Amino acid sequence: MDDSDMILLAHGGGGLLTKELIEQVILPPLRNPVLELLDDGACVTAPGPNLVITTDSYVVSPLFFPGGDIGRLAVCGTVNDLAMQGATPLWLTLAFIIEEGLPVAELRCVLESVRTAAAEAEVTIVAGDTKVVERGKGSGLFINTAGVGLRIEGTEVAAANARPGDAVIVTGTLGDHGVAVMSRREGIEFETKLVSDVAPLADLAASVLEFGADVHCLRDPTRGGLTAALCDIAQASNVCIRVREDALPVREAVAGACNLLGLDPLNVANEGKAVIVCDPNRTAAIVDRLRRRPLGENAALIGKVDAAPPARVLLETRIGGERILQPPTGEDLPRIC
Amino acid sequence: MDDSDMILLAHGGGGLLTKELIEQVILPPLRNPVLELLDDGACVTAPGPNLVITTDSYVVSPLFFPGGDIGRLAVCGTVNDLAMQGATPLWLTLAFIIEEGLPVAELRCVLESVRTAAAEAEVTIVAGDTKVVERGKGSGLFINTAGVGLRIEGTEVAAANARPGDAVIVTGTLGDHGVAVMSRREGIEFETKLVSDVAPLADLAASVLEFGADVHCLRDPTRGGLTAALCDIAQASNVCIRVREDALPVREAVAGACNLLGLDPLNVANEGKAVIVCDPNRTAAIVDRLRRRPLGENAALIGKVDAAPPARVLLETRIGGERILQPPTGEDLPRIC
């Protein structure tokens, strides 16, 4: 198949054309001993019994955005969900729903990103599926990845595990992914380049999880941003999370773009950041460890956990006031991931 | 949320409306101790190290068809992929891509089918995801399921495992699923009701796999039908598969509808059937065992494996001729599963 070809409906029919698409386009960049068998399922050997399983579909529009594309996102997003559950990612599945007419060249670009991101995250793509829908019944390309990981021993992270007195850390700047996608979608050009932070966090998470049971919660603030992640933790743990506005790392360009677009950077999706809730005695050591790594260089202590008022997230504003952070309703940013 | 409501774009935004959709509509029918945590991933304990992982997206149009719907299909299809790899299905993930405007009532019907099929297949839905795309960027509903199963001990089934002398068995009538979907899509009414065969095959497969290493290949003839499944086996094993036309079980109504629609029932998808290649000494016992079960009551010995010509599937026709079964190109039946 040439790069100038387009995907046809028949490429999803399960016959010769499907075989051609898989063998000539999809398999070559991803080839490994398990995947190349192209069997109904992949046989693997688990290195231990405590597994984590997750799934996510990716419907980001546009498919390509500054700093990444839907392929990199589909690998990192699912790898990060495993990492946030305290697992070492092992295997991914990769399922495409292609809209008839997608240029093969675009699919190849996405596959190359999948390959690179999977190598970065040290995860193996073991099973796949490809479907094609008629023009006007899809949106270029949707990807689903499911992931299986091995839970790291001694890890007790869970959204319900935050305790009064805990520290709240974020591993870097907020809002980069969502603003990069939105600015590309809206055709807005900013002088400073806005770039998605999409990256695999498993390695960074593992380095934090060496602090064992002192790490109470790990969460990646994707859809709904930091606000949604903190609200989830506050509700699940029935605690109050207080964050300080002046401690929140937000790039100037992101803050500016959010102003222009009418968005709150705290509600905007991130794809390469984590929120960590930990024993307060470990705060300095964890922030220090994070800052030694490229993906954690802007890590910051942003707040603390109190007992009351329960199931609440409060923002101490720059001018000394306090406001409730409400979970976003979800209208602001469709199809950001 | 009421049944008269429609899914809005904001239901996919990751905020309050997403939460409402998940907690009021999606979770209740599927609730179990793992899923209800609604965490980023599901923590499970594997009962053994030899796992099988698979994924499939379902884009069937229409969403509801005689004998099933996209929900039942999404569970059975992935369960069957695990079963065909010689695994006992354990866990499924379930990811929805919903087109804005889908009636909540339809989503509830699909979820009820998911619940019923998962119970039938004795598989637990442990993780999920929900995305919403704009009207005109989807097709009502797409579903991805990924599955993890435990490989049954002593099983050696693989597409590359067919050997000259082997018997080829099919567990029931051919073409039922594809014809049921096509007839509904084309608005064709037949006097005899055409009904999809969509069903979970794990139990049936397990009963066959009690014959251990004497069972060489297991394959469910889905997209591309029996022809595609046999061509895959013939190529992977580098053997010739000869099937007898008069031995192939095809319902009269399906044969009639195929005639009308210009389809070959051998190329039409099945969703509740398996092809078994086994040691010829076990043929009678396996067919007998299959026929004692409702899902295998029309099981039949349909052919045998020869050494040459390699990588070929030959059909001995009713009038004594022989023709090559070519893998379908994939143009006949888009979006059948």
Side-chain angles (χ1 to χ4, degrees):
Chain A
M1 295 181 75
D2 287 337
D3 264 17
S4 58
D5 289 339
M6 295 209 177
I7 300 293
L8 310 172
L9 203 47
H11 280 119
L16 277 178
L17 284 169
T18 303
K19 210 177 166 74
E20 185 184 290
L21 174 66
I22 291 172
E23 290 180 358
Q24 292 182 22
V25 179
I26 297 178
L27 187 58
L30 307 179
R31 189 180 293 277
N32 64 56
V34 178
L35 191 65
E36 72 185 358
L37 298 176
L38 296 177
D39 232 324
D40 279 336
C43 297
V44 298
T45 307
N50 297 318
L51 305 179
V52 176
I53 302 178
T54 190
T55 186
D56 245 323
S57 297
Y58 300 86
V59 300
V60 66
S61 169
L63 299 180
F64 301 88
F65 48 81
D69 61 25
I70 191 170
R72 182 169 176 82
L73 190 60
V75 171
C76 296
T78 295
V79 158
N80 292 350
D81 278 346
L82 293 174
M84 296 305 112
Q85 288 297 112
T88 305
L90 299 172
W91 307 298
L92 287 193
T93 65
L94 179 72
F96 292 120
I97 298 175
I98 305 174
E99 185 188 12
E100 182 188 17
L102 182 78
V104 169
E106 287 194 18
L107 185 59
R108 284 196 205 270
C109 287
V110 169
L111 283 159
E112 183 54 31
S113 297
V114 167
R115 191 192 66 72
T116 311
E120 257 177 74
E122 297 179 57
V123 74
T124 309
I125 291 162
V126 292
D129 179 56
T130 305
K131 294 290 190 313
V132 182
V133 297
E134 301 93 325
R135 220 180 271 265
K137 299 289 184 186
S139 183
L141 179 64
F142 300 138
I143 301 182
N144 177 282
T145 46
V148 179
L150 183 70
R151 186 128 163 136
I152 295 170
E153 263 186 69
T155 296
E156 292 178 15
V157 288
N161 229 354
R163 303 160 201 179
D166 279 356
V168 181
I169 295 166
V170 70
T171 62
T173 55
L174 297 167
D176 301 68
H177 173 72
V179 164
V181 174
M182 281 304 282
S183 63
R184 168 60 53 96
R185 196 192 303 168
E186 304 293 324
I188 300 168
E189 294 289 334
F190 294 91
E191 286 196 29
T192 322
K193 218 175 164 184
L194 298 164
V195 179
S196 166
D197 59 347
V198 55
L201 293 173
D203 212 40
L204 194 74
S207 77
V208 170
L209 290 172
E210 285 173 14
F211 290 90
D214 284 343
V215 182
H216 299 160
C217 315
L218 262 185
R219 197 95 180 176
D220 55 339
T222 56
R223 277 189 292 181
L226 180 72
T227 306
L230 293 180
C231 287
D232 277 354
I233 294 172
Q235 278 187 9
S237 299
N238 205 33
V239 294
C240 172
I241 295 178
R242 281 174 208 273
V243 293
R244 297 193 331 273
E245 191 174 22
D246 61 8
L248 296 172
V250 179
R251 287 181 208 282
E252 237 177 272
V254 169
C258 279
N259 251 336
L260 247 165
L261 295 163
L263 299 171
D264 182 338
L266 305 192
N267 295 354
V268 173
N270 310 275
E271 292 290 346
K273 301 293 155 48
V275 175
I276 300 162
V277 177
C278 66
D279 185 291
N281 295 318
R282 299 298 203 155
T283 315
I286 289 177
V287 170
D288 181 62
R289 185 171 292 193
L290 288 167
R291 285 189 178 158
R292 288 168 195 272
R293 290 165 176 266
L295 290 177
E297 61 183 1
N298 295 310
L301 172 67
I302 60 167
K304 60 173 180 168
V305 178
D306 280 343
R312 264 286 133 90
V313 181
L314 298 174
L315 181 74
E316 293 174 18
T317 63
R318 277 199 185 82
I319 53 166
E322 193 173 73
R323 74 174 165 96
I324 297 171
L325 290 188
Q326 299 283 8
T329 55
E331 275 136 17
D332 290 352
L333 287 173
R335 300 191 56 191
I336 215 72
C337 55
Chain B
M1 295 181 76
D2 287 336
D3 265 18
S4 57
D5 288 340
M6 295 207 177
I7 300 293
L8 309 172
L9 204 47
H11 281 119
L16 277 179
L17 284 170
T18 304
K19 210 176 166 75
E20 184 183 292
L21 174 66
I22 290 170
E23 290 181 356
Q24 292 182 22
V25 179
I26 297 177
L27 186 58
L30 307 180
R31 188 180 294 279
N32 64 56
V34 179
L35 191 64
E36 72 184 359
L37 297 176
L38 296 178
D39 232 325
D40 278 337
C43 297
V44 297
T45 308
N50 297 317
L51 304 180
V52 175
I53 302 177
T54 190
T55 186
D56 245 322
S57 297
Y58 300 86
V59 300
V60 65
S61 171
L63 300 180
F64 300 87
F65 47 81
D69 62 26
I70 191 171
R72 181 170 177 80
L73 190 60
V75 171
C76 295
T78 295
V79 158
N80 292 350
D81 279 345
L82 293 174
M84 296 304 112
Q85 287 298 109
T88 305
L90 299 172
W91 306 298
L92 287 193
T93 65
L94 178 71
F96 292 119
I97 299 176
I98 305 174
E99 184 187 12
E100 183 187 16
L102 182 77
V104 169
E106 286 193 19
L107 185 58
R108 284 195 205 270
C109 286
V110 169
L111 282 159
E112 183 54 31
S113 297
V114 167
R115 190 191 68 72
T116 311
E120 257 176 74
E122 296 180 55
V123 73
T124 308
I125 292 161
V126 291
D129 179 56
T130 305
K131 295 290 192 312
V132 182
V133 297
E134 300 92 328
R135 221 178 271 263
K137 299 289 183 187
S139 185
L141 180 63
F142 299 139
I143 301 181
N144 177 281
T145 46
V148 179
L150 182 70
R151 185 126 160 137
I152 295 169
E153 263 185 70
T155 296
E156 292 177 17
V157 289
N161 229 354
R163 303 160 202 179
D166 279 357
V168 181
I169 295 167
V170 70
T171 62
T173 55
L174 297 167
D176 301 69
H177 174 72
V179 164
V181 174
M182 282 304 281
S183 63
R184 166 59 54 97
R185 196 191 304 167
E186 304 294 324
I188 299 168
E189 295 290 335
F190 294 91
E191 285 197 29
T192 320
K193 216 171 167 189
L194 297 165
V195 179
S196 165
D197 59 347
V198 54
L201 293 173
D203 211 41
L204 194 75
S207 77
V208 169
L209 290 172
E210 286 175 12
F211 290 90
D214 284 343
V215 182
H216 300 160
C217 315
L218 262 184
R219 197 93 177 178
D220 55 340
T222 57
R223 277 188 292 180
L226 179 72
T227 307
L230 293 180
C231 288
D232 277 354
I233 293 172
Q235 279 186 8
S237 298
N238 205 33
V239 294
C240 172
I241 295 178
R242 283 175 207 272
V243 293
R244 298 194 327 276
E245 191 174 21
D246 61 6
L248 295 172
V250 179
R251 287 182 208 281
E252 238 177 88
V254 169
C258 280
N259 251 336
L260 247 165
L261 295 162
L263 300 171
D264 182 340
L266 304 192
N267 294 355
V268 173
N270 310 274
E271 292 290 346
K273 301 293 153 51
V275 175
I276 300 161
V277 177
C278 65
D279 186 291
N281 295 317
R282 298 299 203 155
T283 315
I286 289 176
V287 170
D288 182 62
R289 185 171 293 193
L290 289 168
R291 285 190 178 158
R292 288 168 193 273
R293 291 166 176 265
L295 291 176
E297 59 181 2
N298 294 310
L301 171 68
I302 60 168
K304 60 172 181 172
V305 178
D306 280 344
R312 261 290 131 89
V313 181
L314 299 174
L315 181 75
E316 293 175 17
T317 64
R318 278 200 184 81
I319 53 166
E322 194 173 72
R323 74 175 166 94
I324 297 172
L325 289 188
Q326 299 282 7
T329 55
E331 275 138 16
D332 290 352
L333 287 174
R335 301 192 55 194
I336 215 72
C337 54

